[in-house]
Amino acid sequence: MISRYLIPLALSMAILLSNSGSVLAENNSTYKLASGDVININVFGEPDLSFGEVRLNDAGIFSYPFIGDVRAKGRTAAEIEQILTERLKGDYLVDPRVSVSILKYREFFISGEVKTPGGYPFQPGLTLRRAVALAGGLTERASEKRITIIRDQSPGRTPEPATLDTIVMPGDTITIDQGFF
């Protein structure tokens, strides 16, 4: 009698977990790494070549045994997997199976008319509205219409107009100006 209820529950949980994993994989597949990101490197069956936390330095580089420095800035986790696999194959391992995942994203920054300006940890799916909530909310003088964002990945790093529904990315700098009364 109990098993009659457990099977549909188990199937529902499996579907939910598989869907959430694909969303996370999709976000990580296009995400470009940069200084401040923390990644996990796992080489199947090789504990000496697996690292729980690797923080990218100011230049977006990390050091790896037998290989030396690996430039991760501007590359995706999948591209880093491919680089490590190619460099480990042959001289060190016959058929390396490497996985790279992002443990912590670099911070975004919010300033201006918020109660607690500063840097905050990025979370996938973050909107400007949620970023403002993390910063303690808007002050009484804040303008919801005079918001700019400077994208970390933007080549010109010029401020762009934004709304509270704008998606925030790691490394972005958000400024909320005063409203005129």
Side-chain angles (χ1 to χ4, degrees):
M1 188 154 130
I2 292 176
S3 64
R4 177 175 54 179
Y5 297 108
L6 289 178
I7 292 172
L9 178 62
L11 287 173
S12 299
M13 291 299 288
I15 290 170
L16 282 173
L17 290 174
S18 68
N19 285 343
S20 67
S22 66
V23 169
L24 182 60
E26 184 178 305
N27 285 342
N28 284 342
S29 68
T30 59
Y31 177 75
K32 303 285 187 191
L33 296 165
S35 171
D37 288 328
V38 178
I39 59 174
N40 172 297
I41 301 171
N42 185 28
V43 181
F44 181 72
E46 298 293 334
D48 292 340
L49 296 175
S50 299
F51 299 96
E53 282 195 15
V54 177
R55 180 176 296 278
L56 304 184
N57 69 16
D58 290 344
I61 296 172
F62 66 93
S63 185
Y64 194 80
F66 305 116
I67 294 174
D69 288 345
V70 177
R71 183 169 179 75
K73 183 176 182 176
R75 294 187 169 135
T76 65
E79 290 171 332
I80 300 302
E81 283 177 9
Q82 185 178 12
I83 290 168
L84 293 177
T85 300
E86 288 171 2
R87 291 188 186 171
L88 288 171
K89 193 173 198 169
D91 291 340
Y92 304 108
L93 300 172
V94 176
D95 185 24
R97 289 188 225 145
V98 180
S99 70
V100 176
S101 57
I102 302 167
L103 293 179
K104 296 178 190 168
Y105 297 89
R106 61 193 177 279
E107 293 181 327
F108 70 91
F109 303 90
I110 188 165
S111 65
E113 295 299 319
V114 290
K115 293 183 179 168
T116 314
Y120 291 90
F122 172 78
Q123 303 160 10
L126 186 69
T127 63
L128 208 138
R129 185 179 313 276
R130 286 182 52 211
V132 166
L134 288 172
L138 298 170
T139 66
E140 310 79 45
R141 296 182 290 183
S143 170
E144 290 185 19
K145 295 182 180 176
R146 299 187 58 203
I147 302 172
T148 57
I149 190 166
I150 299 173
R151 298 285 184 192
D152 189 43
Q153 300 295 327
S154 173
R157 300 207 26 98
T158 56
E160 305 169 7
T163 67
L164 291 176
D165 295 320
T166 299
I167 297 293
V168 175
M169 299 301 294
D172 285 354
T173 302
I174 304 158
T175 304
I176 300 179
D177 289 331
Q178 288 183 6
F180 294 108
F181 298 102

